[in-house]
Amino acid sequence: MDGSLTKFIDKIGGEYSGKLSRDYEVSRLLKSKQGTEKIQVFNVDDISQISSGNVVDSKRKILESLSVNTLEDAYNKLLDSFSREGKMVKVGEPKLKEGNLKDLPFVKFYEKDGGYYLTSSLIIACYKNICNASIHRIMMLNDKEAAVRIVPRHLYYLYKEALKNNEILPVSVIIGIHPAIILAASSSPQLGYFELNAAANILGNLEIYNSPIHKNPIPLGAAAIIEGFITEKQVDEGPFVEAMGGYDKIRKQPVLKAEKVYLNSDETTHVILPGGYEHAMLMGFPREASIYNAVSKVVPKVHGVHLTLNSGGWLHAIISIDKNHDGDSKNAILAAFSAHPSLKHVIVVDPDVNIYDINDVEWAIATRFQADRDLIIINNARGSTLDPSAKDGLTSKIGIDATKPLNAGFEYERAKIP
């Protein structure tokens, strides 16, 4: 199967909004339309190539991208996709035309943004027989250079290895690709497992071709490719709006030098709204799967996991479980913290509570929780850099057991109208 975003939009349905300015108009559209049924389709300023946004800004669209019907099936499919090598099928290079960075949908989203950003950039790097695919924001500097935000994970490791050898890291940057590939690249497998293998397993197989300069594997259907190098040069990057809707700080980040930019005019590029629903979904859904897997090992049944949108799909988890013992809820909380160390607050509820309705969750806390027996507090734990209230990466974490006792009596029963 190819990795065309355009075909996915045709499947879900797109809503065209015309030509939009790079300055704030794209973000206004995506903000106002997030969570709606259709994918937003538009042109950015003077770019002829179509762009899109809110591609997977809801659980329904996530399920469509994974070709499953339930969240449990989605978690299991995503987790299983990393358990083996995927079938990648070599095909010929499509018809591409050359351009430059200004032909790509770099957008200014918020008033204090440090510049114009690509937000769906999938960077493929292969170095010393290790390949990695991961999502990174890229800030335009000029028509040949951009700053790349790299956190200390696998791309950072490859970049540092190249610098140790007095080399700069060759990379292929993809814009506009099927969301199943984006989800695979948003996950965190062990170093050495190439995320495109997982994407191939999700899609059944993945048609790829060699990038024009570096010969890196590129999914067929990619809308645009930057062939370049991540250099030793460092520049100020940011501010940029992070998942919680606040500004990330300015920091020194490496410069991407673009050797060539290639466009596939028949395909659609992708713009992710920083701090929006899609940002939270892509960050959070792979972690929901990890939490589901970990908690399933310590309780009889996990009915659902919800990393909340208002916590950026990152800091707050609500988990619905069955239990055999009243201590199971606390084990579930500890398993969740272990599976996703960035978690700050975890709430565990019974299956009669709707984890997607904060009013229902609040009801469970009000009627089934007692702080002296049902609260877990962990002080000075490693937290998330996305939490502005954390200090030097340290935070306090809370787990709330809002489940009723196994021997619960009539007073815990929810009233029903027959």
Side-chain angles (χ1 to χ4, degrees):
M1 181 175 175
D2 69 25
S4 172
L5 173 57
T6 305
K7 291 179 181 176
F8 181 74
I9 295 171
D10 290 341
K11 176 184 175 183
I12 298 294
E15 180 179 41
Y16 184 67
S17 296
K19 187 170 289 189
L20 303 174
S21 169
R22 293 180 191 265
D23 294 277
Y24 314 125
E25 285 191 354
V26 172
S27 49
R28 286 193 195 104
L29 171 72
L30 297 181
K31 181 81 169 180
S32 66
K33 295 284 189 175
Q34 59 185 354
T36 58
E37 287 293 309
K38 293 187 177 181
I39 294 169
Q40 298 306 305
V41 181
F42 47 90
N43 284 93
V44 177
D45 269 353
D46 54 351
I47 300 176
S48 60
Q49 195 171 19
I50 294 289
S51 290
S52 63
N54 295 350
V55 173
V56 281
D57 60 336
S58 68
K59 290 288 176 65
R60 180 188 70 85
K61 291 175 183 174
I62 292 278
L63 297 183
E64 290 280 2
S65 74
L66 296 174
S67 298
V68 295
N69 295 318
T70 69
L71 285 171
E72 184 175 5
D73 287 343
Y75 296 146
N76 287 326
K77 186 170 187 177
L78 186 61
L79 291 165
D80 180 67
S81 71
F82 288 93
S83 67
R84 61 193 187 281
E85 296 296 303
K87 183 179 180 181
M88 290 190 273
V89 182
K90 282 283 186 73
V91 297
E93 181 182 302
K95 184 178 179 181
L96 302 172
K97 69 176 185 179
E98 291 190 19
N100 61 55
L101 293 182
K102 292 182 179 178
D103 294 315
L104 301 175
F106 283 88
V107 168
K108 185 171 281 190
F109 296 93
Y110 298 97
E111 61 181 349
K112 293 183 180 178
D113 283 357
Y116 295 86
Y117 276 91
L118 287 177
T119 50
S120 68
S121 318
L122 190 157
I123 299 181
I124 293 178
C126 294
Y127 188 75
K128 302 295 185 183
N129 298 316
I130 296 176
C131 287
N132 179 75
S134 49
I135 309 300
H136 301 266
R137 68 186 190 238
I138 298 178
M139 185 183 82
M140 184 191 292
L141 301 174
N142 52 60
D143 62 359
K144 287 290 187 180
E145 293 181 315
V148 184
R149 169 68 172 130
I150 306 179
V151 297
R153 294 182 189 144
H154 296 165
L155 180 63
Y156 182 84
Y157 171 82
L158 297 179
Y159 171 62
K160 288 296 186 180
E161 285 297 300
L163 292 183
K164 283 180 188 177
N165 294 314
N166 295 315
E167 297 175 340
I168 52 178
L169 184 67
V171 295
S172 302
V173 184
I174 302 171
I175 301 96
I177 205 72
H178 192 287
I181 304 173
I182 296 284
L183 279 168
S186 299
S187 303
S188 298
Q190 70 276 15
L191 179 67
Y193 183 90
F194 189 23
E195 290 82 354
L196 289 192
N197 282 298
N201 289 326
I202 293 170
L203 296 171
N205 62 68
L206 184 61
E207 295 175 320
I208 60 170
Y209 61 93
N210 292 331
S211 66
I213 296 177
H214 299 315
K215 307 306 177 185
N216 286 327
I218 304 295
L220 186 67
I225 306 165
I226 304 169
E227 290 277 73
F229 294 89
I230 302 180
T231 70
E232 72 282 1
K233 182 180 177 182
Q234 302 267 321
V235 296
D236 287 341
E237 185 273 330
F240 179 83
V241 170
E242 271 292 1
M244 262 62 72
Y247 288 100
D248 194 10
K249 66 182 181 182
I250 299 172
R251 55 171 65 81
K252 294 291 185 183
Q253 292 292 283
V255 169
L256 168 69
K257 181 181 178 183
E259 295 294 312
K260 293 282 187 180
V261 175
Y262 298 95
L263 309 174
N264 186 340
S265 300
D266 296 328
E267 298 294 342
T268 307
T269 62
H270 186 188
V271 178
I272 297 171
L273 176 68
Y277 290 0
E278 185 169 27
H279 189 173
M281 286 289 174
L282 289 171
M283 282 183 58
F285 193 82
R287 275 69 190 179
E288 284 188 359
S290 297
I291 294 168
Y292 170 85
N293 183 51
V295 177
S296 293
K297 294 176 181 177
V298 299
V299 302
K301 173 71 175 175
V302 179
H303 291 276
V305 178
H306 178 41
L307 283 166
T308 64
L309 292 174
N310 284 337
S311 73
W314 202 246
L315 295 182
H316 293 174
I318 305 168
I319 307 168
S320 171
I321 67 166
D322 285 337
K323 58 185 187 179
N324 285 334
H325 188 281
D326 280 325
D328 285 348
S329 303
K330 291 183 175 64
N331 285 343
I333 290 168
L334 296 174
F337 282 134
S338 176
H340 180 37
S342 290
L343 276 179
K344 186 176 181 181
H345 299 149
V346 177
I347 303 171
V348 177
V349 297
D350 296 300
D352 64 337
V353 176
N354 181 358
I355 61 176
Y356 301 102
D357 182 350
I358 195 63
N359 293 314
D360 220 29
V361 174
E362 185 182 354
W363 174 87
I365 294 172
T367 61
R368 298 177 178 181
F369 165 77
Q370 283 293 312
D372 63 334
R373 67 166 189 250
D374 298 323
L375 184 67
I376 294 176
I377 301 175
I378 305 170
N379 289 319
N380 295 317
R382 178 71 182 269
S384 172
T385 58
L386 301 181
D387 176 9
S389 69
K391 185 176 181 180
D392 298 326
L394 295 177
T395 191
S396 292
K397 303 188 177 192
I398 293 175
I400 294 175
D401 177 5
T403 62
K404 60 187 177 183
L406 283 176
N407 62 353
F410 174 79
E411 68 272 17
Y412 283 96
E413 185 176 333
R414 302 189 77 166
K416 297 179 182 178
I417 299 174

